[in-house]
Amino acid sequence: MADTTEPERFELDSVHTGLLDCVEVNLAVLADHAHGPGTHLRLGAPLRFAWWPGGDGLPTVDPPLDVQLDAACRLLGLRPVRRERFARGDLLDPVRWDGATHYIVADAHDMPWLPYHGQAHMDHSFLLSAGPGSRHVTDAYRVETRWGAAVPGSWVFSPPELSGIGPGEVITFEALPPPPVAALPPTAYAAGDPDTEAVESYLAAYEACEDRALAVERLTAETWLLARTRRLHVKYRALHAGRREDQAERDLLGAWDKVVEQTYLAHRRVSRGRAEPPGVVDRLRAVLANEVRILGQTTPTPGAPGDAATGPAQASGRARYEALRRRVAAVAAAVLGVAEEPLLNGAEFASYASFSSFRLVEIVERLEDELGHELGADELVPENLRRVDDLCRIAR
């Protein structure tokens, strides 16, 4: 009997694809689909420096799949309920691939929609669902490569066109309520973090590697990953403090960009048989040290504003603030025609298709009617009206 199931469709516009690696980016798609736009930015909450042994003897900051899946469960409310290996050719099996959406991790070398196809080997994720006589692939990954650009999109393939993919893993998730923002990791380096011994052992391995071509090539990927994770963290950190990135954070991200550029230039020279430019690892060491100073500053989170989190009225202050948040979220949700929970978890009003300047005015006016007083006119500027907690700070 022919499969007539209509595959699930995914909206990719809400995902900050340029801030995510090729494994977590499609977890981000699932998170926003299940819990609302902006949910995926929770992946940027943890801030630490950790590395794992790489297959070529050099350490890597690229987390194993198990670590990525644990983060999806803890931060995004995505719990794996089925996980199994599949072999090359199994994507042809119509029984295995029913109407559900599956999260797949396999070798990018075998994926025909990517510039890595036939060029490079690395773990890569995508979403797969079966339609009538076809397979629907969704992949939100975005990056420039020497073979062209990977761009977010959805594609329809016949089963034989995907027959070269495998071996790999197929994972199906159950959506659970994500934890409240206040329960997420603090947006700052904690005391004694990062582990200086871990940082130095990581850097020393690249300094001591005798195969300089291998070391510098690997560092191009490593610095790129580190820079992306910092961009994601700064985005999360600013969003959940109700502000834009500050100048110190922008300067830090600019410094990370310079590390990536210098490392890539060094790789190009070494790959052509030229001398390795000095200072590549030293520059990486310097920016890692500098970010502790900049990102070691705690920023307030929406569930715990400064004046409600201190003093003898701490508990009652938090309760009053949470009650206000729920009133604001209810008003905004009614105007936008969306669920309240994603708004309470930090989703921006503008991340919804129903949002416009007219809707923003309506939110403000309805909120003033709900609260029985006008909001301060000098504070009613777009930068202050992006999220529930922005309005709460004005309304209190």
Side-chain angles (χ1 to χ4, degrees), residues 321-343:
Y321 186 76
E322 187 57 31
L324 175 62
R325 293 184 77 239
R326 293 196 172 276
R327 294 177 74 182
V328 173
V331 169
V335 172
L336 297 174
V338 300
E340 294 178 27
E341 196 63 28
L343 295 172

Side-chain angles (χ1 to χ4, degrees), residues 143-158:
V143 74
E144 294 289 335
T145 80
R146 72 182 85 169
W147 307 287
V151 295
S154 297
W155 300 266
V156 178
F157 294 99
S158 66

